[in-house]
Short mmCIF file of all heavy atoms in Angstrom, two decimals:
data_model
loop_
_atom_site.label_atom_id
_atom_site.label_comp_id
_atom_site.label_asym_id
_atom_site.label_seq_id
_atom_site.Cartn_x
_atom_site.Cartn_y
_atom_site.Cartn_z
N GLN A 906 -17.68 14.83 24.71
CA GLN A 906 -17.15 13.73 25.51
C GLN A 906 -18.04 12.49 25.36
O GLN A 906 -17.55 11.36 25.20
CB GLN A 906 -17.08 14.17 26.97
CG GLN A 906 -16.35 13.23 27.88
CD GLN A 906 -16.08 13.91 29.22
OE1 GLN A 906 -15.08 14.59 29.39
NE2 GLN A 906 -17.01 13.75 30.16
N ARG A 907 -19.36 12.71 25.38
CA ARG A 907 -20.30 11.59 25.26
C ARG A 907 -20.14 10.89 23.89
O ARG A 907 -20.08 9.67 23.81
CB ARG A 907 -21.72 12.10 25.45
CG ARG A 907 -22.78 10.98 25.48
CD ARG A 907 -24.14 11.50 25.88
NE ARG A 907 -24.66 12.49 24.93
CZ ARG A 907 -24.76 13.79 25.19
NH1 ARG A 907 -24.39 14.28 26.37
NH2 ARG A 907 -25.24 14.62 24.27
N LEU A 908 -20.06 11.71 22.84
CA LEU A 908 -19.91 11.14 21.50
C LEU A 908 -18.61 10.36 21.36
O LEU A 908 -18.57 9.27 20.80
CB LEU A 908 -19.95 12.28 20.45
CG LEU A 908 -21.31 12.86 20.10
CD1 LEU A 908 -21.13 14.12 19.25
CD2 LEU A 908 -22.16 11.84 19.35
N MET A 909 -17.54 10.94 21.88
CA MET A 909 -16.23 10.31 21.73
C MET A 909 -16.17 8.99 22.48
O MET A 909 -15.70 7.97 21.96
CB MET A 909 -15.14 11.26 22.22
CG MET A 909 -13.74 10.75 21.94
SD MET A 909 -12.46 11.85 22.58
CE MET A 909 -12.10 11.06 24.15
N PHE A 910 -16.65 8.97 23.72
CA PHE A 910 -16.55 7.73 24.50
C PHE A 910 -17.53 6.66 24.02
O PHE A 910 -17.29 5.47 24.25
CB PHE A 910 -16.69 8.03 26.00
CG PHE A 910 -15.40 8.51 26.61
CD1 PHE A 910 -15.11 9.87 26.69
CD2 PHE A 910 -14.46 7.61 27.07
CE1 PHE A 910 -13.92 10.32 27.23
CE2 PHE A 910 -13.26 8.03 27.60
CZ PHE A 910 -12.99 9.39 27.69
N ASP A 911 -18.59 7.05 23.36
CA ASP A 911 -19.45 6.05 22.70
C ASP A 911 -18.65 5.27 21.66
O ASP A 911 -18.82 4.06 21.50
CB ASP A 911 -20.63 6.74 22.01
CG ASP A 911 -21.72 7.15 23.00
OD1 ASP A 911 -21.67 6.68 24.16
OD2 ASP A 911 -22.61 7.95 22.62
N VAL A 912 -17.77 5.97 20.97
CA VAL A 912 -16.91 5.32 19.97
C VAL A 912 -15.86 4.46 20.65
O VAL A 912 -15.63 3.30 20.26
CB VAL A 912 -16.22 6.38 19.07
CG1 VAL A 912 -15.25 5.70 18.09
CG2 VAL A 912 -17.26 7.20 18.30
N LEU A 913 -15.22 5.00 21.67
CA LEU A 913 -14.12 4.27 22.34
C LEU A 913 -14.59 2.96 22.96
O LEU A 913 -13.85 1.97 22.96
CB LEU A 913 -13.48 5.15 23.41
CG LEU A 913 -12.82 6.46 22.94
CD1 LEU A 913 -11.98 7.08 24.05
CD2 LEU A 913 -11.95 6.23 21.72
N ARG A 914 -15.80 2.96 23.48
CA ARG A 914 -16.30 1.73 24.12
C ARG A 914 -16.52 0.60 23.11
O ARG A 914 -16.62 -0.56 23.49
CB ARG A 914 -17.59 2.03 24.89
CG ARG A 914 -17.33 2.67 26.27
CD ARG A 914 -18.60 2.79 27.08
NE ARG A 914 -19.39 3.95 26.68
CZ ARG A 914 -19.23 5.16 27.22
NH1 ARG A 914 -18.35 5.36 28.17
NH2 ARG A 914 -19.97 6.18 26.80
N LYS A 915 -16.61 0.95 21.83
CA LYS A 915 -16.83 -0.07 20.80
C LYS A 915 -15.54 -0.57 20.16
O LYS A 915 -15.57 -1.37 19.22
CB LYS A 915 -17.74 0.51 19.70
CG LYS A 915 -19.14 0.83 20.18
CD LYS A 915 -19.96 1.54 19.11
CE LYS A 915 -21.31 1.97 19.64
NZ LYS A 915 -22.06 2.80 18.65
N LEU A 916 -14.38 -0.11 20.63
CA LEU A 916 -13.10 -0.54 20.06
C LEU A 916 -12.88 -2.04 20.29
O LEU A 916 -13.36 -2.60 21.28
CB LEU A 916 -11.95 0.26 20.69
CG LEU A 916 -11.96 1.77 20.41
CD1 LEU A 916 -10.85 2.45 21.19
CD2 LEU A 916 -11.83 2.05 18.92
#
Side-chain angles (χ1 to χ4, degrees):
Q906 190 168 272
R907 186 171 62 251
L908 282 170
M909 187 182 96
F910 278 92
D911 282 347
V912 176
L913 299 192
R914 280 188 279 271
K915 295 174 185 173
L916 296 175

